[in-house]
């Protein structure tokens, strides 16, 4: 469901630690989107339940970030790709729930159309780019939430060797760490995660969907000693050799890196509230 602010929907706020959204200069500050025509907050609604939150870039037709909570690994196999879209990005009067994608060409969002047609002069051959999740289906612990991650508003064109290489390896390692190190006050697995993409200046898929230059992710949680811990990763969305790895970084290092791309009077970048440590 498209909203003006994430805080408009109480159940959507829960995907952000303390209900606090990231600060991205020129895009999002103090929970307020700076350009409502360009960026759209989405409370991802599927089968009557809010599953995660996404800030969507309707010009580049990719998400800026998706925010979600991790409470354990899936109990079901990966769903068959039931690709969906956000109806209210086409018309505010449409259904608030994500719906099966119809193969159309949409003005304000990407569709399967964009991932199925090859433009010969595209800087990156279509066959080397696939649909890359920001909220991975492997981080959702119930089938319906797994299915909800297959909305194209949670997807960016990701270079295949990167998506299936160092980024996939990182996701698996982080998932294991979240399962062993992150606990809420009631001793249940709980972590807050934000995953985002930095758009390129002119690299597109079929002259419509931006192929991002950089992808990043960070988590923050209470550890077994009830101390806040945080960790971050980022990588260039480009062809890579087999065996490449992404090293864990501090939250502060990620925010410093993102400051190179997001600059403005609303700075600096802040992914999580102050309680999440910026250093080791």
């Amino acid at each position: 469901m498209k909203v003006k602010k994430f805080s408009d929907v109480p159940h959507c706020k829960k995907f952000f630690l303390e209900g606090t959204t990231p600060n991205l200069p020129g895009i999002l500050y103090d929970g307020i989107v700076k350009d409502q025509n360009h960026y759209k907050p989405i409370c991802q609604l599927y089968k009557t339940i809010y599953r995660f939150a996404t800030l969507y870039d309707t010009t580049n037709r990719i998400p800026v970030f998706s925010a979600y909570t991790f409470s354990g690994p899936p109990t079901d196999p990966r769903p068959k790709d039931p690709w969906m879209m956000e109806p209210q990005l086409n018309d505010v009067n449409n259904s608030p729930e994500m719906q099966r994608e119809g193969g159309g060409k949409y003005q304000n969002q990407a569709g399967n159309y964009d991932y199925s047609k090859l433009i010969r002069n595209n800087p990156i051959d279509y066959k080397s780019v696939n649909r890359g999740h920001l909220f991975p289906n492997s981080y959702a612990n119930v089938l319906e939430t797994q299915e909800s991650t297959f909305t194209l508003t949670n997807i960016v064109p990701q270079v295949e060797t990167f998506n299936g290489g160092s980024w996939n390896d990182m996701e698996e390692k982080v998932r294991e760490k979240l399962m062993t190190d992150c606990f809420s006050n009631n001793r249940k697995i709980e972590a807050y995660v934000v995953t985002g993409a930095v758009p390129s200046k002119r690299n597109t898929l079929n002259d419509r969907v931006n192929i991002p230059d950089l992808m990043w992710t960070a988590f923050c949680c209470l550890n077994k000693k009830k101390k806040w811990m945080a960790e971050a990763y980022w990588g260039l969305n480009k062809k890579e050799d087999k065996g490449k790895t992404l090293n864990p970084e501090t939250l502060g290092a990620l925010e410093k890196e993102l400051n190179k791309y997001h600059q403005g009077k609303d700075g600096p970048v802040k992914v999580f509230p102050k309680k999440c440590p910026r250093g080791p």
Side-chain angles (χ1 to χ4, degrees):
M1 180 174 75
K2 183 173 72 65
V3 295
K4 288 187 177 180
K5 294 189 298 183
F6 291 114
S7 58
D8 289 345
V9 180
H11 288 287
C12 197
K13 288 175 62 176
K14 69 181 182 181
F15 302 116
F16 302 96
L17 180 59
E18 297 182 332
T20 303
T21 56
N23 181 41
L24 298 174
I27 298 177
L28 181 66
Y29 178 72
D30 197 24
I32 298 174
V33 175
K34 306 299 289 184
D35 185 347
Q36 290 279 347
N37 292 322
H38 189 159
Y39 302 102
K40 304 292 185 182
I42 301 173
C43 294
Q44 300 279 13
L45 185 64
Y46 181 64
K47 293 187 176 180
T48 73
I49 295 175
Y50 294 103
R51 308 288 174 171
F52 61 105
T54 298
L55 183 61
Y56 195 75
D57 180 340
T58 61
T59 300
N60 288 309
R61 300 184 179 90
I62 58 171
V64 177
F65 65 75
S66 285
Y68 46 99
T69 53
F70 180 87
S71 56
T75 56
D76 296 275
R78 179 186 173 100
K80 294 181 180 179
D81 301 349
W83 293 106
M84 294 178 281
M85 45 79 77
E86 176 56 52
Q88 291 190 336
L89 287 182
N90 299 333
D91 187 330
V92 69
N93 295 315
N94 284 344
S95 168
E97 284 212 15
M98 61 179 73
Q99 294 179 348
R100 282 293 182 95
E101 205 280 326
K105 186 176 180 180
Y106 308 110
Q107 180 178 353
N108 297 320
Q109 62 186 302
N112 276 327
Y113 166 89
D114 298 297
Y115 288 89
S116 63
K117 294 180 70 65
L118 171 64
I119 301 298
R120 292 182 183 276
N121 62 0
N122 200 15
I124 293 184
D125 181 0
Y126 159 74
K127 294 179 181 178
S128 69
V129 178
N130 55 22
R131 299 172 181 84
H133 285 68
L134 295 193
F135 178 11
N137 91 92
S138 62
Y139 280 36
N141 70 336
V142 296
L143 178 61
E144 289 79 9
T145 303
Q146 281 185 270
E147 292 173 344
S148 75
T149 67
F150 286 88
T151 174
L152 290 163
T153 52
N154 181 49
I155 298 298
V156 299
Q158 193 169 2
V159 174
E160 193 172 275
T161 54
F162 176 51
N163 190 13
S166 64
W167 191 258
N168 180 70
D169 293 343
M170 176 275 297
E171 287 181 337
E172 291 181 358
K173 291 176 182 177
V174 169
R175 184 181 61 190
E176 295 301 314
K177 182 170 290 189
L178 298 181
M179 291 168 58
T180 58
D181 294 1
C182 293
F183 294 90
S184 64
N185 285 323
N186 59 8
R187 303 304 296 167
K188 291 183 178 180
I189 298 172
E190 182 181 82
Y192 292 86
V193 191
V194 182
T195 303
V198 176
S200 61
K201 290 186 177 180
R202 57 181 63 89
N203 195 11
T204 62
L205 180 64
N206 293 322
D207 295 325
R208 273 179 42 90
V209 182
N210 189 282
I211 300 173
D213 279 342
L214 184 87
M215 295 187 66
W216 58 270
T217 189
F219 72 84
C220 184
C221 68
L222 283 171
N223 62 20
K224 294 177 181 179
K225 297 180 180 179
K226 295 187 178 181
K227 300 288 186 180
W228 288 99
M229 60 175 287
E231 195 169 273
Y233 296 80
W234 67 86
L236 295 176
N237 185 30
K238 65 179 185 179
K239 185 176 180 180
E240 64 181 29
D241 296 329
K242 189 175 182 180
K244 179 178 171 61
T245 60
L246 297 178
N247 296 319
E249 302 282 355
T250 64
L251 178 58
L254 171 64
E255 292 174 337
K256 183 178 180 180
E257 179 69 19
L258 293 179
N259 277 323
K260 299 176 183 177
Y261 302 93
H262 300 292
Q263 298 179 352
K265 62 181 181 180
D266 303 320
V269 171
K270 185 182 292 184
V271 177
F272 289 115
K274 289 183 179 180
K275 66 170 54 179
C276 298
R278 266 61 193 175

